[in-house]
């Protein structure tokens, strides 16, 4: 069982909708990550939070807005998405930016109509 | 640019056989990790090898690292149908915290 919990598991939204993906971990990790993964491709880094502060933004379009309310929670707010944004969104956590092991959630499968 | 490249892209073997996957990378690394992903699921960490290590074992897994060739291999011995998954190498660059994934190898173990 994963110790990183992502909700919802599946999300279908229209291009004008506003929705959020949520991620929670209780391992005391102080680094949290959002990755995007298209079918048959590797995960691509989107954002990294370290000690609740955004430390890496991989030039992600502003229609994706991350938020880290506390050390256990990570959100990804979605607005005005495009069909090509349909993908598996993976949350991960680790010891603070130690370049060690990442612990992944099961992902949220997003479909944009 | 993508740090790691893996080959083969796909590998199909019979249960009980060994599976070997290779990963090449471009820049100096702090460590190299291997992850497994079952279809549509999250990634699971398998093993981490540091830049000053040459070989590491974990159960049926054996990882080698050749920093002079900028390459690594993952060997799964005595494969099982349950090993069917995608396997990704991931590298952490020297001085950086960003983990970059290779293209992955899709392993199918036939019962």
């Amino acid at each position: 069982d994963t110790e990183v919990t992502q909700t919802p598991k599946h999300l279908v939204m229209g291009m004008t909708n506003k929705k959020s993906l949520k991620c929670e971990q209780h391992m005391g990790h102080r680094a949290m990550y959002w990755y995007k993964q298209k079918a048959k491709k590797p995960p691509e880094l989107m954002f990294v939070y370290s000690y609740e502060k955004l430390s890496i933004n991989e030039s992600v379009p502003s229609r994706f807005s991350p938020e880290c309310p506390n050390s256990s929670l990570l959100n990804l707010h979605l607005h005005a998405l495009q069909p090509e944004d349909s993908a598996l969104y993976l949350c991960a956590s680790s010891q603070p930016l130690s370049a060690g092991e990442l612990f992944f959630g099961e992902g949220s499968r997003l479909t944009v109509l | 640019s993508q740090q790691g490249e893996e080959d083969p892209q796909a590998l199909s073997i019979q249960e009980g056989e060994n599976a070997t996957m290779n990963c090449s990378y471009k820049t100096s690394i702090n460590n190299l990790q291997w992850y497994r992903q079952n279809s549509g699921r999250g990634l699971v960490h398998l093993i981490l090898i540091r830049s000053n290590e040459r070989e590491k074992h974990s159960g049926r897994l054996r990882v080698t690292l050749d920093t002079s060739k900028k390459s690594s291999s993952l060997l799964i011995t005595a494969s099982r149908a349950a090993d069917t998954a995608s396997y990704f190498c991931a590298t952490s660059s020297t001085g950086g915290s960003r983990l970059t994934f290779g293209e992955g190898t899709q392993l199918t173990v036939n019962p």
Side-chain angles (χ1 to χ4, degrees), chain A residues 35 37 41-43 45 56 58 88 90 97 99-102 104-106 109, chain B residues 30-31 33 35 37 40-43 45 48 88 92 97-99 101-103:
Chain A
Y35 281 84
Q37 186 179 28
K41 289 295 198 180
L45 183 64
I56 296 176
E58 294 285 67
L88 181 67
L90 294 161
L97 296 183
E101 175 183 356
L102 296 187
F104 281 86
E106 293 288 358
R109 172 75 61 189
Chain B
N30 183 36
N31 66 56
Q33 304 178 38
Y35 287 80
Q37 185 178 33
R41 307 289 296 274
L43 282 79
H45 182 264
L48 179 153
F88 293 95
S92 168
S97 57
R98 193 182 268 100
L99 197 63
F101 288 84
E103 291 295 319

Side-chain angles (χ1 to χ4, degrees), chain A residues 37-79:
Chain A
Q37 186 179 28
K38 302 283 272 185
K40 299 189 186 302
K41 289 295 198 180
E44 295 179 354
L45 183 64
M46 299 175 72
F47 303 103
V48 181
Y49 274 84
S50 176
Y51 291 94
E52 295 93 70
K53 293 192 188 307
L54 184 65
S55 64
I56 296 176
N57 176 344
E58 294 285 67
S59 303
V60 178
S62 60
R63 58 185 184 269
F64 294 91
S65 175
E67 178 195 21
C68 190
N70 60 55
S71 60
S72 300
L73 294 174
L74 184 66
N75 298 321
L76 186 62
H77 302 298
L78 315 170
H79 174 53

Side-chain angles (χ1 to χ4, degrees), chain A residues 12 33 40 85:
Chain A
V12 179
Y33 310 75
K40 299 189 186 302
D85 296 322

